[in-house]
Amino acid sequence: MDRVQMWEKKAEWPLIGLAVVFLVAYAVPIVWPDVSPQTAVLCEVLITTTWVLFGVDYVGRLLLSADRRGFVRHNLFDLAILVLPMLRPLRLLRLLTLLRVLDRTTADGLRGRVVTYAVGATSLLILVGGLAITDTERGVDGSTIEHVGDGIWWAVVTMTTVGYGDEYPVTATGRCVAVVLMAMGITLLGVVTATLASWLTDQVAEMGEEDGAATRAEVRELRDEIRSLRAELTAAGAAPPAGEGGAAEGQR
């Protein structure tokens, strides 16, 4: 385990706690836009604090990495949501660190993990996508998304690639959110389809193995019966008939 992995292991649970705090602080003013000014300020302070701490996590991993250029190349999205103000709502995707908890509680099999991640990621992306699009589109001229319910509905139809068109983003940031959700929806659909196909293939293979095992058992049983019959016939052919034995005694 290298230094970056050790950092990530130690920071895993604190980051998950920060992600939960961040989600609550981000959601409260969106779900209840009429909150008191004090509550709104507190939520903003919590959001800024957690965002700074996520930045500290990024910088810490960068400094510990042996290949810093490679680290930056493989973590461009993390860097973008920390640096570019335009992508501010997309920082909600940092909440995907919550899925690490599922890795500790899910099934040991790879298929169980895939299903758990797919369900967890879908639910979390719908929630954060609905919050992000509502935060971005609310109050904008020409916007069709004004409430959290509208945002959640839009996130569902976008992730499933249905796209009814009754609600749609009109801002550049909202369209960035839409692109991310559509890409994730297609990816998750592919994961679910591949997992289902793998499960069906395994079921068919198991049925074939059971049928083959039953056939082999029947063949072995039939072979044993044939051997038993051969042994009986050999024993019967080796013993002299009862009449022949009596005639031989008379001749003597």
Side-chain angles (χ1 to χ4, degrees):
M1 182 180 296
D2 58 23
R3 294 186 300 173
V4 176
Q5 291 174 333
M6 292 178 62
W7 171 285
E8 291 175 346
K9 185 174 180 62
K10 292 180 180 179
E12 179 178 9
W13 284 101
L15 287 177
I16 290 173
L18 286 174
V20 174
V21 172
F22 179 85
L23 176 60
V24 174
Y26 188 88
V28 166
I30 298 174
V31 178
W32 297 285
D34 298 328
V35 294
S36 65
Q38 294 83 0
T39 303
V41 170
L42 175 61
C43 290
E44 188 61 33
V45 169
L46 290 175
I47 289 173
T48 302
T49 302
T50 54
W51 200 15
V52 169
L53 292 175
F54 278 130
V56 171
D57 171 64
Y58 178 88
V59 173
R61 289 184 293 142
L62 174 62
L63 294 177
L64 291 174
S65 177
D67 182 10
R68 294 179 182 176
R69 291 184 179 179
F71 177 85
V72 173
R73 286 197 304 270
H74 290 90
N75 294 273
L76 290 176
F77 188 76
D78 289 347
L79 179 61
I81 61 179
L82 288 172
V83 174
L84 300 178
M86 184 189 70
L87 297 181
R88 182 178 175 86
L90 295 185
R91 68 187 186 274
L92 275 169
L93 295 179
R94 289 291 296 179
L95 294 172
L96 292 179
T97 53
L98 289 171
L99 293 178
R100 295 179 184 177
V101 178
L102 300 176
D103 190 38
R104 297 174 178 267
T105 58
T106 189
D108 293 333
L110 177 60
R111 190 178 296 114
R113 293 188 177 185
V114 169
V115 171
T116 304
Y117 275 118
V119 173
T122 300
S123 303
L124 189 57
L125 283 172
I126 288 174
L127 174 61
V128 301
L131 291 174
I133 201 68
T134 305
D135 183 31
T136 303
E137 298 289 315
R138 176 183 284 161
V140 177
D141 292 339
S143 174
T144 59
I145 302 173
E146 293 292 333
H147 306 287
V148 175
D150 299 333
I152 296 296
W153 168 251
W154 172 86
V156 170
V157 299
T158 301
M159 279 201 66
T160 55
T161 67
V162 175
Y164 284 111
D166 53 345
E167 293 167 355
Y168 51 86
V170 296
T171 64
T173 305
R175 289 170 180 171
C176 289
V177 175
V179 169
V180 172
L181 281 179
M182 286 185 285
M184 292 301 297
I186 294 172
T187 301
L188 289 171
L189 178 61
V191 169
V192 172
T193 303
T195 303
L196 179 60
S198 174
W199 178 79
L200 290 174
T201 301
D202 288 348
Q203 293 299 309
V204 172
E206 289 177 2
M207 292 176 61
E209 291 179 358
E210 292 177 358
D211 293 341
T215 302
R216 288 192 294 271
E218 292 175 354
V219 170
R220 284 194 298 269
E221 183 178 354
L222 180 60
R223 185 175 56 199
D224 292 340
E225 291 181 359
I226 293 174
R227 288 177 177 174
S228 176
L229 288 173
R230 285 179 177 175
E232 292 178 2
L233 291 174
T234 301
E244 293 181 0
E249 290 293 336
Q251 291 177 358
R252 289 180 183 178

